[in-house]
Amino acid sequence: MPEDRPTLPPVRLHSEAELARDALATPLLTRAVKLARWAGPDTRVGAGGELVEEQLAAAAAELGLDAEDDGPAYASEAWRTAVDTGLVDVEDPEDDEAEYGTATAGENLALITSGGPQDVLAIWLDALEAVHADAIAPLLDDLADAIGDDGEIDYEALDWDPDAEAEFLDGVLGNLYLLTVTDGGAGDEPVPLPALAASMIVPDDMGEPTDDVLEQVSVAMMRLDDQFRLLEPVGLVEYRPVDEALMAEVTDDAEAPSAVDESDVSRYGLVKLTPLGLYGIRMRMLEGGVDAPAVGDLADKGADVLLDGLAHYPVRAARAETEQWLARREPAVAAHELLGAARGVDQGAPLRRLHCQQALTLVGAQAESEVRAVLDDAELGGLARVWLAERGASDVPAPPESMIFWLAIDTIAAQLDADGELEELQGLVEGLAGQHSGFFDAAWRVDHPATADVLEAMGRLHPDKKVAKDARKAAFKARSKPVA
């Protein structure tokens, strides 16, 4: 595997305008904006910028929430978000005798209506950062037990490691991101909470989890349940919480369930990243130095960068990236650039040619003149004939035998580098070896940098022992022939 392969598959993001609209529609930011506009000369805040308790009922009413229920708690959360995101500026008391500070509209409040999508998303990211900090904070019950007689928090008694908590939550969110963006992963489907918890706790090489590991997974599930309940209002996830009745069962039994009831897995919690959540997690990863590409990153790059970059993209992402790249260029110009970038004898060249051929399919008939221009090219002539034949073109000259075998080696080399499906690769190998009698007698003579490696691979992949042996013999001859 090349060392420069991206750590993660590319993510397909919504446009910044769509994401900004999603951000403004999140419950938490909507409430924060309302309270920022509600704040005035009579607003009073405590030493930490929090809204004083006497005004929480009025703030809840402004949000249309019941002051007798959870309204004040939601209002307090929204106010903290308004302060953390610069929608509200708090000022300390003007003199030592004043009991409370005051609040005024922050400069970011105007950006909610007059700023661009990037301004709105920057405010939302600040809100996400604040909620993330809340999510990894100690539980209130634990805090109460750790407060000493002097009123100070005993952090040693609390047994709370903020770095470890952040690493665990970020790891879970990273796994959820990976499941979402990987072809064949969860995609738009929600992921069961036990699976996410287990992904961080159960070792990969463990067969049947021990009771101790299952208990750790159960504890992690309950912690994640609390955290995802916090992360949902900021728009990061869609979350179906753990069934309250199930939590009561676990508490009553004083033990974790030994296995998840697959008949109703939703009872254990289901979570999925929203489009806004994909954007937010990717931005956090980029800030942390993680290579997290997005579809569209290569649209303004040259054809050489595009074809090299597509080398290990999943199929759907590769097509989407290519479509965005082609949309910025005239068809004939794009075809010319692609064919030029597909040349080469380096290790990545066969896969570049494969992606070039796939990209030319998207260009369509307007690429034909450029494709015909390379019919006599030793490296591109076979590719050109295949492309023209697939389009039903006429007057396509028959390839010389040397080009047929060169194209066969190049095609298998590309598929080997692409890490394709094993059955598909085996089918290709069987087809090529079966179509040409004496295939290996000719193949070892092909002047291609990957000839010996391809023949060795054919020897490993072909199910017929005799054919596999012939492939290995041909590979030996290819390695032993004099260098031209």
Side-chain angles (χ1 to χ4, degrees):
M1 180 184 295
E3 293 182 358
D4 59 351
R5 180 179 298 192
T7 305
L8 296 165
V11 59
R12 300 182 68 175
L13 295 174
H14 287 190
S15 69
E16 288 187 340
E18 291 174 301
L19 292 171
R21 286 195 293 270
D22 289 345
L24 291 173
T26 59
L28 186 57
L29 194 55
T30 298
R31 292 170 184 163
V33 171
K34 283 184 178 180
L35 290 189
R37 291 170 176 162
W38 165 80
D42 296 330
T43 306
R44 296 292 177 261
V45 298
E50 73 280 3
L51 201 59
V52 297
E53 188 172 351
E54 293 80 2
Q55 292 190 324
L56 286 176
E62 179 68 19
L63 298 176
L65 302 173
D66 188 350
E68 300 300 323
D69 197 7
D70 292 331
Y74 286 126
S76 176
E77 179 186 40
W79 179 263
R80 292 199 310 273
T81 299
V83 173
D84 290 334
T85 56
L87 299 175
V88 167
D89 287 337
V90 295
E91 299 177 6
D92 293 330
E94 294 182 0
D95 55 65
D96 295 337
E97 297 181 1
E99 185 176 1
Y100 300 119
T102 58
T104 58
E107 64 179 22
N108 281 350
L109 182 58
L111 295 177
I112 292 296
T113 53
S114 65
Q118 290 185 348
D119 298 314
V120 172
L121 290 172
I123 293 171
W124 179 81
L125 286 170
D126 287 340
L128 173 60
E129 191 66 29
V131 175
H132 184 279
D134 286 343
I136 64 172
L139 298 175
L140 289 177
D141 291 344
D142 295 339
L143 273 176
D145 295 338
I147 297 177
D149 295 336
D150 57 359
E152 297 294 324
I153 297 176
D154 183 351
Y155 285 99
E156 290 186 6
L158 190 59
D159 191 25
W160 174 65
D161 184 342
D163 292 335
E165 289 285 344
E167 183 179 353
F168 185 84
L169 180 55
D170 287 339
V172 168
L173 293 173
N175 287 346
L176 184 57
Y177 180 95
L178 182 60
L179 285 169
T180 305
V181 303
T182 301
D183 276 5
D188 292 331
E189 294 299 316
V191 177
L193 198 59
L196 277 180
S199 72
M200 296 294 293
I201 294 173
V202 181
D204 292 336
D205 58 353
M206 177 175 281
E208 188 71 21
T210 64
D211 290 342
D212 179 61
V213 168
L214 287 173
E215 183 178 352
Q216 292 179 50
V217 171
S218 180
V219 171
M221 281 174 53
M222 297 302 103
R223 181 65 168 136
L224 288 172
D225 181 66
D226 290 332
Q227 292 173 325
F228 283 130
R229 288 173 191 257
L230 286 174
L231 292 167
E232 185 176 35
V234 78
L236 190 78
V237 296
E238 292 179 14
Y239 183 54
R240 179 169 179 173
V242 175
D243 189 337
E244 297 286 351
L246 176 65
M247 288 193 284
E249 292 170 14
V250 174
T251 302
D252 293 341
D253 295 342
E255 63 180 15
S258 60
V260 172
D261 179 6
E262 295 184 2
S263 65
D264 190 9
V265 72
S266 63
R267 291 189 69 202
Y268 298 83
L270 294 171
V271 63
K272 62 178 284 189
L273 287 174
T274 64
L276 186 61
L278 282 170
Y279 166 81
I281 298 303
R282 177 177 182 259
M283 293 302 293
R284 288 180 58 82
M285 286 180 171
L286 292 175
E287 289 177 5
V290 176
D291 182 9
V295 172
D297 284 351
L298 308 179
D300 60 349
K301 303 295 191 296
D304 54 339
V305 177
L306 173 72
L307 295 181
D308 280 331
L310 293 179
H312 300 289
Y313 272 32
V315 175
R316 288 183 298 174
R319 182 184 178 93
E321 185 72 60
T322 304
E323 288 173 341
Q324 291 198 28
W325 188 88
L326 292 173
R328 299 191 179 198
R329 292 159 179 82
E330 292 296 324
V333 173
H336 181 79
E337 291 181 8
L338 288 166
L339 288 164
R343 290 189 175 90
V345 295
D346 57 286
Q347 183 178 355
L351 194 51
R352 285 203 306 274
R353 283 186 280 273
L354 176 62
H355 283 295
C356 172
Q357 183 176 335
Q358 293 167 344
L360 290 173
T361 301
L362 298 177
V363 176
Q366 292 168 295
E368 183 167 342
S369 61
E370 295 294 333
V371 172
R372 286 187 178 275
V374 299
L375 281 170
D376 294 330
D377 188 286
E379 296 177 5
L380 303 178
L383 174 157
R385 284 169 171 80
V386 171
W387 187 88
L388 290 167
E390 288 178 346
R391 298 192 59 81
S394 58
D395 302 326
V396 180
E401 186 177 78
S402 59
M403 184 176 286
I404 294 174
F405 286 100
W406 194 95
L407 180 61
I409 296 295
D410 199 59
T411 300
I412 297 178
Q415 294 293 344
L416 288 169
D417 197 25
D419 294 335
E421 293 290 334
L422 180 60
E423 291 184 4
E424 182 179 336
L425 192 52
Q426 286 178 326
L428 177 62
V429 167
E430 290 180 52
L432 287 172
Q435 286 175 6
H436 306 279
S437 59
F439 176 86
F440 297 111
D441 288 336
W444 72 266
R445 295 182 172 87
V446 172
D447 186 19
H448 190 293
T451 296
D453 291 336
V454 165
L455 292 172
E456 281 186 359
M458 293 181 76
R460 293 192 305 271
L461 293 169
H462 204 289
D464 186 290
K465 291 184 178 180
K466 182 181 183 305
V467 176
K469 184 177 181 180
D470 290 342
R472 291 192 294 271
K473 286 182 177 179
F476 178 78
K477 290 180 179 179
R479 293 199 187 281
S480 302
K481 69 181 180 182
V483 179

